[in-house]
Amino acid sequence: GQAELGLADGIAAPSDPLRMPDVGPLMRAGVGEEPLVVALPAGHPLAGRPGLRLADLVDARWLQTPLCPVERLRELAGDGFRPALTYTGQDVRAVVNLVAAGHGLTLLPASAAAGVPGLSGVAVLAPRLVHRVELLHGTLPPGPAAELAAELAAGLSGPG
């Protein structure tokens, strides 16, 4: 039950931190961020578009997953987003295969949808959203955990 460092990821606006439960005083640092795409089966009528507005997809069938909960989509774009299928696992490959097989749409980091056979990733134009990874930790004594936290926190804003 104890850890010095943790990573959390999820959907956020580019300027907002991740929504986290109140677990006490934790320091947070963004360590990664990339655009989100709507993952569609390759033959879907919207698959060839350059971008999509999330509000235009409220009536689509969605996958309900821990990676992209429909409740979060409703917070971002309003009512709708009815689940076609619920998948409780965290395996991105399983989610990608469910989308490619036509069981519902989801949001994925662009890199997770790129080059997947049977899948098309279309940019989310509005609202502006990203997949963010944040480092979480309490006060760290000098040592390897503090060094790693500093290195990860510097990685997002540093060169490269």
Side-chain angles (χ1 to χ4, degrees):
Q2 291 187 356
E4 291 182 342
L5 302 172
L7 293 172
D9 72 322
I11 300 168
S15 59
D16 293 344
L18 291 175
R19 291 182 175 204
M20 302 291 295
D22 187 13
V23 293
L26 289 176
M27 294 179 210
R28 301 161 68 138
V31 297
E33 192 173 280
E34 70 174 293
L36 283 170
V37 297
V38 179
L40 307 152
H44 193 281
L46 301 175
R49 296 242 178 133
L52 294 166
R53 292 173 356 118
L54 203 52
D56 293 337
L57 300 170
V58 296
D59 293 326
R61 297 172 22 139
W62 288 81
L63 290 177
Q64 168 69 312
T65 73
L67 304 172
C68 180
V70 294
E71 296 81 13
R72 182 69 174 125
L73 298 175
R74 291 177 187 138
E75 291 171 5
L76 294 164
D79 292 337
F81 301 99
R82 66 182 189 272
L85 180 78
T86 298
Y87 171 68
T88 58
Q90 301 261 353
D91 185 345
V92 175
R93 280 186 251 172
V95 170
V96 165
N97 288 329
L98 289 169
V99 172
H103 294 292
L105 310 181
T106 195
L107 297 183
L108 290 173
S111 63
V116 176
L119 191 78
S120 178
V122 179
V124 177
L125 299 177
R128 289 189 50 219
L129 298 172
V130 295
H131 175 259
R132 174 171 296 123
V133 178
E134 291 182 355
L135 174 70
L136 308 170
H137 62 86
T139 304
L140 296 171
E147 292 168 14
L148 178 60
E151 193 172 319
L152 287 172
L156 187 61
S157 60

